[in-house]
Amino acid sequence: QVQLVESGGGLVQAGGSLRLSCAASGSMFGINGMGWYRQAPGKQRELVATITNGGWTNYAGSLKGRFTISRDNAKNTVYLQMNSLKSEDTAVYYCNAKIVPMGALVEHDTWGQGTQVTVSS
C-alpha cells in the first residue's frame, strides 16, 4: 500500500518561510502528477500547485511568485517552498499524488494526512 507522508508544517510569523515535504513510500510502478492543496477552516480544499513528472508546474494564480513547487523523482518526493507567508495562508496543507500501483494500468488519486501551517500576524 502506498502512503504519502508530509512534513515541514508549523507556526511561522508573517513574512517568514516554510518548506513542506511529501514522500511517497510503498510498492508502486510510478508516480505521475504530484501537488499540494490546502484547506482553511470553514473553506473548501483548494489547489496550491501541481507538478508533472517532467517538471511542468501549475500554480493557483494568487500564489505564484511566493510559492515554489519542486520534486525529486528519485526520492518520490515533492516539496513546497513558501515565502513571504501571510495570515491568509493559514490552513492544513495536503499532498496529492497520481500513483500507478504495481500491475495496474490506471493511476490512483492518493492523499497525505495533511500538515498544519499557521501564520501569525
Side-chain angles (χ1 to χ4, degrees):
Q1 185 175 356
V2 177
Q3 287 187 320
L4 298 179
V5 179
E6 298 138 336
S7 60
L11 174 65
V12 64
Q13 288 189 333
S17 298
L18 281 175
R19 188 192 195 209
L20 305 182
S21 299
C22 171
S25 62
S27 179
M28 70 192 91
F29 179 76
I31 305 176
N32 293 331
M34 301 185 81
W36 291 94
Y37 294 74
R38 68 184 184 183
Q39 188 167 16
K43 295 187 177 181
Q44 289 189 330
R45 190 172 298 187
E46 63 178 2
L47 168 74
V48 175
T50 60
I51 185 168
T52 69
N53 52 12
W56 290 96
T57 59
N58 178 55
Y59 293 91
S62 61
L63 301 178
K64 195 171 184 179
R66 293 195 297 122
F67 289 15
T68 302
I69 190 170
S70 60
R71 67 189 281 177
D72 184 332
N73 291 333
K75 296 181 179 179
N76 293 329
T77 300
V78 63
Y79 305 96
L80 184 68
Q81 178 67 44
M82 304 184 292
N83 298 328
S84 302
L85 283 161
K86 306 175 181 180
S87 57
E88 52 262 44
D89 295 318
T90 295
V92 178
Y93 284 70
Y94 295 92
C95 174
N96 173 267
K98 316 294 186 184
I99 292 176
V100 181
M102 293 295 289
L105 297 177
V106 296
E107 61 188 26
H108 289 190
D109 218 10
T110 306
W111 292 89
Q113 79 284 359
T115 185
Q116 178 70 45
V117 171
T118 302
V119 183
S120 63
S121 57

